[in-house]
Amino acid sequence: TASSGLPVRVDLLTGHFDAINVQHKSTCMRDLQGVFSDDAARKALPEDFEVYHVEMLASPQQEGELHTGTTHLMPGKVADEFFMTRGHFHQRREQAEFYFGLRGEGILLLQPENAPAYTEQVFAGSVHHIPSFTAHRLVNTGHDVLSALAVWPVIAGHDYQSLQPDGFRIRVFDRDGKVSLEVAGV
Ligand code: 6PG
Ligand code: NI
């Protein structure tokens, strides 16, 4: 006879997993050197403040398998620039990814290797295809935690280096209470 196990649950309002084997990765202010346009302002903030954390289900580490994880990005700013993830290309550039907005309000920055950068609004229910060869970064433009569920190939890996020293061409600031997308070098 067939058997039926209890599946893992995710709370779709928060992205929290109810599973035995959840891994956590925390990124604090001290880890984000050089990420914000005003690094002196970043240094002046508490270094152990957690800007975002990722909770992930355990996945088999082999080609063809997929990671599933939720990023929780705090609201806040470094000077006038909204909190954001470090952002990355996948080490394996051809590997794509999906993001699903669960709560909060933000912007997904997308930067193809050989095409202009663009953005998508992130909100509860938003679905985002991150194409191959495209760097990606989440920005929290709201007053609450921004949480997004992601699914990506385990072989994708991260390349944080290729975006240095200037980072993404689009940056997101709070200018007098308005969300302002600003293109570097303009
Ligand atoms: C990935 C996903 C996602 C991402 C987190 C943290 O490829 O792993 O895009 O889980 O890692 O949102 O962002 P950073 O890796 O850029 O710090
Ligand atoms: Ni990714």
Side-chain angles (χ1 to χ4, degrees), residues 25 27 52 54 56 69 71 85-88 90 97 99 130 136-138 150 152 156-158 160:
K25 187 186 155 207
T27 300
Y52 59 100
V54 181
M56 273 174 67
T71 299
T85 59
R86 177 183 300 281
H88 57 270
H90 290 151
E97 181 165 4
Y99 275 21
I130 298 166
H136 40 288
R137 162 183 280 169
L138 277 172
W152 70 101
H158 301 107
Y160 296 105

Side-chain angles (χ1 to χ4, degrees), residues 18-30:
D18 184 359
I20 297 166
N21 213 349
V22 182
Q23 293 151 15
H24 294 267
K25 187 186 155 207
S26 173
T27 300
C28 296
M29 206 58 85
R30 75 165 72 78

Side-chain angles (χ1 to χ4, degrees), residues 52-123:
Y52 59 100
H53 72 268
V54 181
E55 53 177 297
M56 273 174 67
L57 297 176
S59 305
Q61 299 300 299
Q62 57 193 38
E63 181 158 6
E65 290 293 348
L66 298 169
H67 278 311
T68 305
T70 304
T71 299
H72 305 283
L73 176 58
M74 299 310 119
K77 289 174 283 185
V78 173
D80 290 337
E81 192 171 16
F82 290 108
F83 282 176
M84 57 192 174
T85 59
R86 177 183 300 281
H88 57 270
F89 282 103
H90 290 151
Q91 187 72 41
R92 289 276 300 265
R93 289 285 198 281
E94 80 285 7
Q95 300 293 318
E97 181 165 4
F98 266 96
Y99 275 21
F100 306 89
L102 298 181
R103 63 173 168 175
E105 285 171 37
I107 290 174
L108 177 62
L109 299 186
L110 294 144
Q111 188 165 305
E113 249 179 358
N114 296 308
Y118 61 102
T119 66
E120 292 181 0
Q121 298 280 342
V122 182
F123 50 86

